[in-house]
Amino acid sequence: MIKNGIKGGAGTTGDYADWVRDFTEERERRTALGDPDWARGARLPEALIRSLQRFQVGEDGDGAQLRAKAAGAGDPVYAEAVDLFVAEEQNHARMLALLLAAAGAPTLAGHWTDAAFVRLRRLLGLRLELLVLMVAEVVALRYYRAVRDGTRDPLAAEVAGRILADEERHVTFHCRRLREDLASLPAPARRATTAGWRLLLAGAALVVAYDHGPALRGLGVRRSAFVRDVVRDAAPMAAVMDGRGGTASPGRPPRRV
């Protein structure tokens, strides 16, 4: 079963060929589909423009640290899948920049929240980097859903919908790796790790809700509801990561319909 982009249950280690295939097929599908029609322009409230500018900074970057750690993990197929994941994130940054341009707005050179996440991740090994990355990914799920469903601008809704579909796959991808990695720990340590991750996620959701509050309000989402939804959505993900989730394999990409 897939819930919030997560398949529950016992998985096997190694063999990320299914994910390499998924990322490759998605790249080909995206190429065939083509970009949104940027020429139609976008009419966005100022609060949403400021919010999208900050998220665009977070999506940008070459992923060099993550790619290096993945390459050093001893599984070249996983490392290839990570390279393809980073390419999808870079495409998100590109689309957000073009959406902002369609609204007549520039991108930002940086933002303190992104800088804090990057510095924290660079201090960590692959396991903890992925846990911190998952914080950003889960917050992004709720954010892009809010933009997709709450904006009146068709171009912004289309871009947010495309990014959201990718992020749902990314969460499943990272959950698989974290489940395999945490499996080497005793059950109490696994559950303590995911409990700590959920606390970090709740804190990040509070920061985003405060920082992006005006945009969220314009999209019809209260700050408190945003935080509550993020925390609630994290529960099945934590269960997959620490080994408590379901009976089906969490390792394969979600099927497309």
Side-chain angles (χ1 to χ4, degrees):
M1 178 180 70
I2 301 176
K3 183 175 182 180
N4 296 322
I6 299 298
K7 292 187 179 182
T12 58
T13 59
D15 190 11
Y16 279 83
D18 52 348
W19 275 105
V20 170
R21 183 164 52 252
D22 175 80
F23 282 121
T24 302
E25 289 175 354
E26 179 59 25
R27 181 180 61 195
E28 293 170 354
R29 188 197 68 81
R30 187 167 59 243
T31 300
L33 177 64
D35 266 6
D37 181 9
W38 307 115
R40 62 180 160 173
R43 295 173 62 88
L44 305 177
E46 189 61 34
L48 182 55
I49 287 175
R50 291 194 299 269
S51 178
L52 290 169
Q53 286 172 325
R54 296 168 198 169
F55 264 81
Q56 193 276 336
V57 171
E59 298 279 8
D60 206 2
D62 60 8
Q65 292 290 325
L66 175 61
R67 293 169 68 186
K69 292 171 187 176
D75 184 346
V77 182
Y78 172 68
E80 183 180 358
V82 168
D83 288 344
L84 293 166
F85 154 74
V86 170
E88 283 196 359
E89 292 290 306
Q90 292 171 333
N91 184 57
H92 297 172
R94 182 188 68 87
M95 286 198 297
L96 289 174
L98 289 169
L99 173 61
L100 288 166
T107 58
L108 301 180
H111 191 260
W112 72 267
T113 52
D114 178 63
F117 265 98
V118 169
R119 288 186 187 130
L120 178 60
R121 286 167 50 193
R122 285 179 177 174
L123 296 173
L124 307 174
L126 180 59
R127 176 194 297 172
L128 293 178
E129 170 145 4
L130 288 177
L131 286 167
V132 174
L133 178 60
M134 273 286 287
V135 167
E137 296 280 81
V138 177
V139 169
L141 287 179
R142 185 64 186 95
Y143 176 79
Y144 288 119
R145 190 163 75 246
V147 177
R148 182 197 65 185
D149 297 343
T151 184
R152 297 180 179 179
D153 183 80
L155 184 60
E158 180 180 353
V159 171
R162 291 191 186 201
I163 295 176
L164 177 62
D166 286 345
E167 298 290 14
E168 289 171 343
R169 293 168 39 254
H170 294 174
V171 165
T172 305
F173 173 59
H174 296 313
C175 272
R176 170 178 177 172
R177 180 68 190 195
L178 285 165
R179 183 187 182 94
E180 293 172 357
D181 191 76
L182 293 175
S184 63
L185 302 177
R190 294 198 303 269
R191 293 177 186 180
T193 299
T194 55
W197 173 74
R198 292 181 71 182
L199 284 174
L200 179 62
L201 176 62
L206 283 168
V207 171
V208 171
Y210 176 80
D211 200 31
H212 297 259
L216 292 171
R217 187 164 53 249
L219 296 168
V221 179
R222 298 190 308 274
R223 285 186 171 105
S224 59
F226 181 86
V227 175
R228 183 188 64 241
D229 291 348
V230 169
V231 171
R232 180 200 62 205
D233 291 349
M237 303 172 195
V240 168
M241 288 189 285
D242 66 26
R244 291 175 292 124
T247 58
S249 170
R252 297 193 178 278
R255 286 187 178 181
R256 297 186 185 87
V257 294

